[in-house]
Amino acid sequence: RWRPLPSAALQPPDVFATGSWDNEDNRVSIWSAGDLGNAGLNGEYHGEPHLLCDIQHNGDVMDMQFLDQERIVVASSTGTVTIFRHHQNNQTLSANHRWEKAHYHVDQDTSCGGAACTGVVCNNPEIVTVGEDGRINLFRADQKDAVRTIDNADSSTLHAVTFLRTTEILTVNSIGQLKIWDLRQQRNEPSQIFSLAGDRVPLHCVDRHPNQQHIVATGGQDGMLSIWDIRHGTMPVSLLNAHEAEMWEVHFHPSDPDHLFTCSEDGSLWHWDTSTSVSEKPSFLHQGGRSTAYLSHSTINQSVVSAWLSNDPTKDRMEITNLIPNQTLSVNSLDVLGPCLVYGTDAEAIYVNRQLFA
């Protein structure tokens, strides 16, 4: 995850956090993206990311998100949620606050009762977590106890969560459903339920369009990218054939949401570009043997309707590029900010691309 930039900042992001899993000793680490140094022949920078600091973490890191410039919220397979603080003056990490067993199967007190916390989303100072136990927690960074817990929010595993607006969240589960929860309501029922037709394909990831809060993208077990308009109907507006295996993360570009990024167990990381002027752009996507496919979509009136919601495939096109064509191991996680992409793979390697739109 990129550390967020101050709102007025013009420079590209330079610091990111990673979390490990499946190790005896898992760690949360803070990295500097490396000196820009001299651009190589292809305009590529060869500065190596270097480790600024790290700290031990109990359990697998299942998800994490920066709360602000200094604090990062980390979800553990043990069910615990921890806020770590990055001290930039002396480059250390410390545990700032911990909610032990925020997620649990039997009760919080049994030693083995923890259930994995699978997803976390922040809207400072509020933090929402979801887990394998089908529970939703609302925490505040400054409070010891949960502000609100919806105990039996779901009978299946909740895999991911995002804020729709400050009082509403959206969850995705292991039977292909999206559910909207209004945190102002005291009742523990979703205000809306959406679902994939037919097969109950587990959904692993979700992201909301940064400017148009009714547009949501999800990805799941079958590698399909689904685009939803939560104002209409209960089914996705479009299903796009994407990856050949599980899609682990989906992210709209936060400041340029015509661009979307997905990564998968099949070792690919796709850049989906719906910006209208695809045909006029310099063809940087063709360098380096990258494969580019064209998918159709329509443009009804771009100022009113997002390209993501169109469904007449004859008028225009979407450009899709696999940014890592020959990768064989799973790409587990990605984040994008400004011109920079960071991703991690099962090769136990972290990659930074600082020229997404070069």
Side-chain angles (χ1 to χ4, degrees):
R1 299 280 179 263
W2 289 111
R3 182 174 77 191
L5 290 167
S7 49
L10 296 172
Q11 79 273 24
D14 59 345
V15 170
F16 62 89
T18 60
S20 71
W21 62 286
D22 205 27
N23 297 327
E24 281 179 27
D25 173 24
N26 287 303
R27 305 192 86 73
V28 171
S29 309
I30 304 283
W31 304 78
S32 162
D35 289 327
L36 284 175
N38 297 327
L41 291 172
N42 312 338
E44 289 171 20
Y45 295 112
H46 292 295
E48 283 279 301
H50 66 266
L51 182 64
L52 296 175
C53 50
D54 64 355
I55 192 168
Q56 206 247 334
H57 178 266
N58 289 335
D60 296 340
V61 174
M62 303 292 287
D63 194 12
M64 54 200 241
Q65 198 172 24
F66 276 92
L67 183 67
D68 53 28
Q69 302 278 309
E70 254 127 52
R71 292 176 295 175
I72 184 161
V73 183
V74 181
S76 170
S77 58
T78 64
T80 295
V81 177
T82 310
I83 303 180
F84 290 102
R85 186 180 286 275
H86 174 211
H87 306 274
Q88 296 173 40
N89 51 354
N90 60 357
Q91 293 304 344
T92 56
L93 273 167
S94 64
N96 180 240
H97 190 83
R98 194 170 269 130
W99 290 282
E100 296 284 349
K101 290 210 185 134
H103 295 272
Y104 52 92
H105 281 304
V106 192
D107 60 71
Q108 268 173 307
D109 306 323
T110 37
S111 60
C112 57
C117 176
T118 50
V120 56
V121 65
C122 306
N123 186 9
N124 192 3
E126 297 192 316
I127 299 162
V128 174
T129 68
V130 297
E132 261 176 19
D133 52 358
R135 191 174 269 109
I136 298 172
N137 292 307
L138 171 63
F139 297 110
R140 283 183 67 104
D142 45 13
Q143 290 180 18
K144 191 163 81 67
D145 297 317
V147 177
R148 171 105 187 259
T149 295
I150 304 177
D151 270 329
N152 299 309
D154 212 300
S155 54
S156 60
T157 296
L158 291 169
H159 280 142
V161 58
T162 189
F163 273 101
L164 288 177
R165 42 183 72 81
T166 49
T167 55
E168 271 187 328
I169 56 165
L170 183 131
T171 58
V172 296
N173 69 12
S174 59
I175 55 170
Q177 294 174 320
L178 280 72
K179 297 183 181 179
I180 297 179
W181 307 82
D182 186 336
L183 297 173
R184 291 165 304 189
Q185 301 289 336
Q186 279 316 302
R187 61 197 189 100
N188 295 335
E189 303 289 324
S191 53
Q192 266 178 292
I193 299 179
F194 304 83
S195 58
L196 293 165
D199 305 334
R200 300 190 150 204
V201 177
L203 292 170
H204 291 306
C205 52
V206 60
D207 196 27
R208 187 205 82 204
H209 191 290
N211 315 335
Q212 294 175 287
Q213 292 165 332
H214 53 277
I215 301 175
V216 171
T218 63
Q221 189 95 36
D222 56 1
M224 297 280 276
L225 173 65
S226 307
I227 306 291
W228 310 70
D229 181 347
I230 58 173
R231 299 168 305 182
H232 304 299
T234 56
M235 290 174 45
V237 181
S238 53
L239 287 167
L240 299 165
N241 267 315
H243 302 279
E244 286 163 27
E246 293 92 342
M247 185 190 295
W248 291 129
E249 285 201 352
V250 56
H251 287 287
F252 283 103
H253 191 288
S255 55
D256 198 352
D258 284 345
H259 299 267
L260 177 101
F261 297 83
T262 58
C263 65
S264 166
E265 181 71 30
D266 68 9
S268 59
L269 192 160
W270 285 17
H271 172 190
W272 306 71
D273 179 0
T274 66
S275 54
T276 44
S277 55
V278 164
S279 47
E280 295 127 47
K281 285 197 307 200
S283 182
F284 75 94
L285 293 173
H286 299 288
Q287 293 172 3
R290 294 171 177 174
S291 59
T292 301
Y294 294 100
L295 274 195
S296 298
H297 73 232
S298 75
T299 46
I300 304 162
N301 176 341
Q302 284 299 338
S303 60
V304 182
V305 178
S306 165
W308 292 110
L309 295 186
S310 50
N311 49 17
D312 173 355
T314 56
K315 292 184 186 158
D316 200 7
R317 61 187 192 174
M318 171 164 8
E319 193 164 21
I320 304 164
T321 310
N322 180 7
L323 296 180
I324 35 177
N326 305 318
Q327 163 61 21
T328 51
L329 297 169
S330 175
V331 185
N332 301 316
S333 182
L334 75 93
D335 197 24
V336 58
L337 186 61
C340 300
L341 167 74
V342 60
Y343 59 95
T345 76
D346 268 1
E348 301 196 356
I350 303 156
Y351 300 87
V352 178
N353 174 345
R354 306 186 65 144
Q355 294 201 298
L356 268 183
F357 306 112

